[in-house]
Amino acid sequence: MQFDLTDLRLFVATAEEGNMTRAAARQHLSLAAASARIKSLEAQSGLSLLYREARGVRLTPPGEAFLFHARGVLRQAEQLRTDLQEYGGGLRGHLRVFANTTAVTDFLPEILPGFLADNPKINIDLQEKPNPEIARGVLDGRADIGIVAGQVDTLGLQAIHFSTDRLVLATARNHRFARRKKIAFAETLDDDQVGMQSGSTLQTFLAQVVETLGKPLKLRIQLSSFDAMCRMIGAGVGVGIVPESAARRNQTAMGIALIELTDTWSVRERYILVRNRESLPRYAESLIETLCAHYRDGV
């Protein structure tokens, strides 16, 4: 098919507006020119991309597929424009990283400053995403690298293991669970819970767990970081599930006790996801090596 970015922008606008006239106005085209462009796309594909109805238009199944790919091409074109502008200013590389909550809030803030100091002409766009969205983002090119934990459908991507993430129960030191060495998550559900913000990877995962247990999670407060969670837990607001690394970092200062979870899901393997490691630029490979070395060397 022969098309340009104007065709793609017009098609996306048409799908969003559900109306050819408004889509044409958005793209500063006449209705006749816009209609001709859409008809040309349909003629080239041999498929109807739109249902024409009295009140507007809606996508056919092939149109839905075309919309998905059109948005991807437009994202990549915008990324190309941005990257080239940055290269013109002396930048040598731009890395897009999708990662889960633990990575974004717990260990990457510890690792990335050193990496960026060693690579002054590399920029990183770090975004927190749910595990399934991370894999999809790497697969469709929105991210160069993904960082996930636990049982995740990697969608055929290359998965590089770099560490093990263990979740623990954190309580105030005077809590009745504080003297326990091990506990099942189900035993904690009668207590008020301190959790991460809605939409975070960990909170989404725990919501799925409690759904299988058939008992609601009594969330007293939700916060944006594990350090803040530990502070609230230490103050007696409730108990909470946190990564062991974050809990140990705050154990003394926040006055919390850590109890091992007996649930098998509490141990989660961490992976770096890439489409093709061999085709990554050197600076992307350098970040992978930095992550792996951080845990291999026990830093």
Side-chain angles (χ1 to χ4, degrees):
M1 294 179 65
Q2 299 294 319
F3 52 80
D4 57 26
L5 294 182
T6 299
D7 291 333
L8 299 185
R9 293 190 184 100
L10 172 64
F11 190 84
V12 171
T14 301
E16 292 174 350
E17 296 287 350
N19 182 283
M20 186 77 71
T21 301
R22 290 197 297 269
R26 267 178 58 175
Q27 298 305 307
H28 308 290
L29 296 169
S30 68
L31 178 58
S35 180
R37 282 177 175 271
I38 296 295
K39 287 179 180 177
S40 175
L41 291 176
E42 291 179 313
Q44 291 183 67
S45 66
L47 297 166
S48 293
L49 302 177
L50 298 171
Y51 293 118
R52 275 81 171 173
E53 300 173 337
R55 295 185 177 181
V57 296
R58 59 187 177 91
L59 297 176
T60 64
E64 294 281 2
F66 191 88
L67 175 65
F68 173 80
H69 291 291
R71 283 174 168 160
V73 171
L74 290 173
R75 278 195 300 268
Q76 290 183 325
E78 178 60 23
Q79 188 64 55
L80 173 62
R81 185 188 66 81
T82 301
D83 286 355
L84 289 178
Q85 286 178 340
E86 292 176 336
Y87 279 111
L91 187 73
R92 288 204 312 267
H94 186 100
L95 265 176
R96 296 162 297 163
V97 180
F98 284 4
N100 64 7
T101 305
T102 305
V104 171
T105 63
D106 192 40
F107 64 83
L108 285 179
E110 179 182 353
I111 295 171
L112 290 181
F115 174 82
L116 291 170
D118 292 340
N119 298 271
K121 293 189 176 181
I122 305 300
N123 280 358
I124 293 179
D125 175 11
L126 174 62
Q127 297 183 38
E128 180 182 341
K129 300 283 185 181
N131 278 324
E133 179 64 19
I134 294 169
R136 286 195 296 270
V138 175
L139 185 64
D140 66 22
R142 287 177 291 137
D144 304 299
I145 291 173
I147 299 174
V148 298
Q151 296 182 345
V152 181
D153 183 354
T154 60
L155 305 178
L157 298 165
Q158 291 183 346
I160 306 158
H161 181 268
F162 68 97
S163 71
T164 300
D165 174 29
R166 188 181 301 273
L167 297 174
V168 298
L169 177 72
T171 74
R173 286 179 180 168
N174 60 356
H175 193 279
R176 69 182 189 283
F177 292 151
R179 294 187 179 182
R180 297 273 296 270
K181 290 185 177 180
K182 296 183 179 182
I183 194 169
F185 177 58
E187 294 182 64
T188 73
L189 296 181
D190 288 330
D191 282 68
D192 288 336
Q193 301 274 337
V194 175
M196 284 291 285
Q197 61 192 2
S198 180
S200 67
T201 311
L202 178 56
Q203 211 56 46
T204 300
F205 172 74
L206 292 177
Q208 295 169 347
V209 172
V210 297
E211 186 175 351
T212 65
L213 295 174
K215 198 169 185 178
L217 198 62
K218 297 169 62 178
L219 281 168
R220 187 77 186 281
I221 187 170
Q222 292 179 264
L223 302 152
S224 61
S225 74
F226 295 120
D227 291 350
M229 279 184 64
C230 291
R231 183 180 296 275
M232 289 291 178
I233 292 167
V237 172
V239 302
I241 304 299
V242 293
E244 186 177 23
S245 56
R248 293 202 179 282
R249 184 174 64 244
N250 289 284
Q251 186 171 11
T252 301
M254 305 302 178
I256 57 175
L258 312 185
I259 302 96
E260 180 182 338
L261 290 167
T262 58
D263 306 82
T264 56
W265 50 256
S266 65
V267 178
R268 306 187 302 170
E269 302 303 330
R270 289 175 177 154
Y271 295 93
I272 300 165
L273 302 182
V274 297
R275 290 184 298 282
N276 183 351
R277 187 171 183 177
E278 293 181 357
S279 66
L280 288 173
R282 183 67 192 91
Y283 52 83
E285 178 63 28
S286 179
L287 178 58
I288 293 173
E289 291 172 355
T290 298
L291 279 168
C292 293
H294 179 85
Y295 288 95
R296 181 178 63 244
D297 300 338
V299 177

